[in-house]
Amino acid sequence: MMTGYYQIEGRHLVAVDCIIFGYDIRDKDLKLLLVKRNMDPGRGEWSLPGGFVKEGEGVFEAACRVLNQLTGLQNVYMEQSFAYGDVNRDPGGRVISVTYFALIKYLDIDPVKQKTSGAQWRSMKELPKLVFDHRKMVDRALRQLREKVKIKPVGFELLPEKFTLVHLQDLYEAIYQRKVDRRNFRKKIQSMNLLEKLDEKERETSKRGAFYYRFLPANYEEFTRQGFYFNLDVS
Amino acid sequence: MMTGYYQIEGRHLVAVDCIIFGYDIRDKDLKLLLVKRNMDPGRGEWSLPGGFVKEGEGVFEAACRVLNQLTGLQNVYMEQSFAYGDVNRDPGGRVISVTYFALIKYLDIDPVKQKTSGAQWRSMKELPKLVFDHRKMVDRALRQLREKVKIKPVGFELLPEKFTLVHLQDLYEAIYQRKVDRRNFRKKIQSMNLLEKLDEKERETSKRGAFYYRFLPANYEEFTRQGFYFNLDVS
């Protein structure tokens, strides 16, 4: 790999930090997976899960490794958020950090891995104090998530395979942290024809029950191929 | 700065690459500032202006330095585009590159600096072959610029202080690389009340002339403070 070019320049520690969102369908609560930092400085403080990028490892691959070590998950939705490059952002040394936000299904996480790592879900509504500039990282990723779920069907990554329209609306309300007009929301989602109505009802939350739906990726592909855009902008 | 933490980890070369957009109001042409690479590998090939991030230098500051060395400009609109972290993206070695796109006024550039550096404006409509993954970097930045000019008044960064409504529409057409409906465009821009009509006409392009306008940042601030959003989405 190293061919001898560029040998005179400065080298830097590069880290990845992962903003891992999960959605608790029962509590209607958007949650973030956090760890307690196991090294100085800041040992014992709440932190985003992260790690240093190794030699011979891509930056995205490093983020996938961190996510997998914590959750056992692979091939989940993950998107680069921002590269934080201020000289003094980490009191432990000059570390450039690239952040990614991931959307995972809350219940798919490997309980053994979570326990071993000490990772804990915390509500976005009451995050603890985070180490260094991690709160800024979370805030930016949340803004990006809010913009994203309006124009791409990525919200479904946070829901179980089958869900009701109420679940879907609750999810958007949890992401936006405010109420959404029900009629407008349903009209928009139905007009895109991306959901399959199942022959099965959810009966836990009401006696009458609500039909389950399933997101159809193939319909979405066809929808975009025809030049349409996903639009759930209900803000 | 280095306090002794994190000493055992791998270190990486980190570079910045700048996607510097300028707008030629006469040719109605969006242009990109390019240089010929002065080092191996790829010596002599067309390249984005870039450089390695130095010790004790922030990543954003490095991008500002590269821009300033080439153009003499400071405090211009610059936004992070993406961090490219694939192991093999640069055949000269493992280099992580953070890209920024900048919007500058075409005529404000320092001709001496430009000449010394050999930097050249090239039309976005016919870019030469670029070294490594630089074309991918440009394409992403252009997509981001197209999204941005719809929702933020950053297009004015590319225009001279005073401009006609035709100039403004030409700019959007050059960025989108397609025609825009004139009536709809004018209606949208006028409705936001962000422009001041000057007492002066541009007479080069028509006998009758067209009034010059000026963008009013203070009006935009007031506009957003009142909860409105800039919207020139004419796509």
Side-chain angles (χ1 to χ4, degrees):
Chain A
M1 187 51 226
M2 212 46 220
T3 53
Y5 302 111
Y6 314 150
Q7 285 197 345
I8 54 162
E9 308 289 338
R11 285 166 192 275
H12 307 279
L13 292 171
V14 179
V16 289
D17 285 299
C18 296
I19 297 114
I20 305 172
F21 291 114
Y23 178 65
D24 181 343
I25 205 166
R26 282 169 182 269
D27 286 357
K28 305 176 186 179
D29 195 22
L30 186 66
K31 289 186 182 334
L32 188 64
L33 198 59
L34 294 175
V35 296
K36 292 236 169 163
R37 214 172 129 85
N38 65 358
M39 63 170 90
D40 288 316
R43 187 186 297 266
E45 292 186 50
W46 286 108
S47 166
L48 292 171
F52 291 105
V53 177
K54 299 178 182 176
E55 278 180 45
E57 181 185 48
V59 176
F60 179 68
E61 285 67 43
C64 292
R65 169 173 57 81
V66 166
L67 182 92
N68 178 260
Q69 282 171 353
L70 220 64
T71 65
L73 296 173
Q74 273 176 323
N75 301 319
V76 300
Y77 184 89
M78 191 145 68
E79 183 177 339
Q80 190 182 109
S81 174
F82 199 74
Y84 292 82
D86 286 353
V87 173
N88 296 310
R89 52 163 298 278
D90 180 337
R94 201 281 159 87
V95 182
I96 293 158
S97 176
V98 183
T99 62
Y100 289 82
F101 71 86
L103 307 179
I104 69 174
K105 295 191 197 302
Y106 192 59
L107 298 173
D108 281 1
I109 203 165
D110 180 334
V112 177
K113 293 215 176 195
Q114 187 185 345
K115 198 170 178 196
T116 312
S117 65
Q120 284 187 31
W121 287 111
R122 299 297 294 258
S123 170
M124 283 293 291
K125 284 187 291 199
E126 41 189 7
L127 287 183
K129 185 178 178 305
L130 301 180
V131 78
F132 309 158
D133 54 355
H134 287 198
R135 180 61 199 242
K136 204 165 75 175
M137 292 172 170
V138 173
D139 290 343
R140 186 190 296 263
L142 179 63
R143 288 198 303 273
Q144 291 170 327
L145 175 63
R146 286 176 173 167
E147 290 305 309
K148 200 75 184 204
V149 294
K150 289 179 190 173
I151 56 167
K152 298 274 176 190
V154 297
F156 301 109
E157 305 286 343
L158 290 163
L159 289 174
E161 187 79 10
K162 54 185 193 184
F163 49 83
T164 70
L165 294 181
V166 170
H167 289 149
L168 184 61
Q169 181 174 343
D170 287 344
L171 169 70
Y172 272 74
E173 292 186 344
I175 291 172
Y176 294 149
Q177 285 177 26
R178 56 167 190 72
K179 286 281 171 201
V180 157
D181 179 70
R182 181 182 144 135
R183 189 187 297 262
N184 193 10
F185 185 83
R186 293 212 170 193
K187 205 173 98 187
K188 287 216 171 194
I189 188 68
Q190 302 274 25
S191 71
M192 290 184 281
N193 190 34
L194 303 177
L195 303 183
E196 179 189 17
K197 191 176 186 175
L198 302 181
D199 234 0
E200 186 187 350
K201 278 186 164 182
E202 190 265 357
R203 294 191 183 275
E204 277 181 60
T205 41
S206 80
K207 270 194 190 155
R208 200 169 135 230
F211 280 105
Y212 276 118
Y213 287 79
R214 201 162 63 95
F215 173 64
L216 298 171
N219 280 32
Y220 176 63
E221 267 180 50
E222 181 57 26
F223 181 72
T224 51
R225 199 162 31 231
Q226 289 179 12
F228 293 109
Y229 294 99
F230 185 85
N231 175 7
L232 261 180
D233 188 354
V234 288
S235 57
Chain B
M1 186 51 225
M2 213 46 220
T3 53
Y5 302 112
Y6 315 149
Q7 285 197 342
I8 54 163
E9 308 288 339
R11 285 165 194 275
H12 307 278
L13 292 171
V14 179
V16 289
D17 285 299
C18 296
I19 297 114
I20 305 172
F21 291 114
Y23 178 65
D24 181 343
I25 205 167
R26 281 168 182 269
D27 287 357
K28 305 176 186 178
D29 195 22
L30 186 67
K31 289 187 188 318
L32 188 64
L33 198 59
L34 294 175
V35 295
K36 291 234 170 163
R37 213 170 130 85
N38 64 359
M39 64 169 89
D40 288 317
R43 188 186 295 266
E45 291 186 50
W46 285 108
S47 166
L48 292 171
F52 291 105
V53 176
K54 299 177 182 177
E55 279 180 44
E57 180 185 49
V59 176
F60 179 69
E61 283 67 43
C64 292
R65 169 174 55 81
V66 167
L67 182 92
N68 178 260
Q69 282 172 353
L70 221 62
T71 66
L73 297 173
Q74 272 176 324
N75 301 317
V76 301
Y77 184 88
M78 191 145 70
E79 184 177 339
Q80 190 181 110
S81 173
F82 199 74
Y84 292 82
D86 287 353
V87 172
N88 296 310
R89 54 163 297 278
D90 180 336
R94 200 282 157 88
V95 181
I96 294 159
S97 176
V98 182
T99 62
Y100 289 82
F101 71 86
L103 307 178
I104 69 174
K105 296 191 197 301
Y106 192 60
L107 298 174
D108 281 1
I109 202 167
D110 180 332
V112 176
K113 292 216 176 195
Q114 186 184 347
K115 197 169 180 198
T116 314
S117 65
Q120 285 186 30
W121 287 111
R122 299 298 293 258
S123 171
M124 283 294 291
K125 284 187 291 197
E126 42 188 8
L127 286 183
K129 186 178 177 306
L130 301 180
V131 79
F132 309 159
D133 54 355
H134 289 198
R135 181 61 198 242
K136 204 165 76 177
M137 293 172 169
V138 173
D139 290 343
R140 187 191 296 264
L142 179 62
R143 287 198 304 273
Q144 291 169 328
L145 175 64
R146 285 176 173 165
E147 290 305 310
K148 200 76 182 205
V149 294
K150 289 179 191 172
I151 57 169
K152 298 274 176 190
V154 296
F156 301 108
E157 304 287 342
L158 290 163
L159 289 176
E161 188 77 10
K162 55 185 191 182
F163 49 83
T164 69
L165 294 181
V166 170
H167 289 149
L168 184 60
Q169 180 173 343
D170 288 343
L171 168 71
Y172 272 74
E173 292 186 345
I175 292 172
Y176 294 149
Q177 285 177 26
R178 55 168 191 72
K179 286 282 169 199
V180 157
D181 180 69
R182 181 182 145 135
R183 188 186 298 262
N184 193 10
F185 186 84
R186 294 213 169 192
K187 206 173 97 187
K188 287 216 171 194
I189 188 68
Q190 303 273 26
S191 72
M192 291 183 282
N193 189 33
L194 303 177
L195 303 183
E196 179 189 15
K197 190 176 186 176
L198 302 182
D199 233 1
E200 187 188 348
K201 277 187 166 181
E202 190 266 355
R203 295 192 183 274
E204 278 181 60
T205 42
S206 81
K207 270 194 191 153
R208 203 170 135 229
F211 279 105
Y212 276 117
Y213 287 79
R214 201 162 62 95
F215 173 63
L216 298 171
N219 280 31
Y220 176 63
E221 266 179 50
E222 181 57 28
F223 181 73
T224 52
R225 198 163 31 230
Q226 289 178 12
F228 294 108
Y229 293 100
F230 185 86
N231 175 7
L232 261 179
D233 188 353
V234 286
S235 57

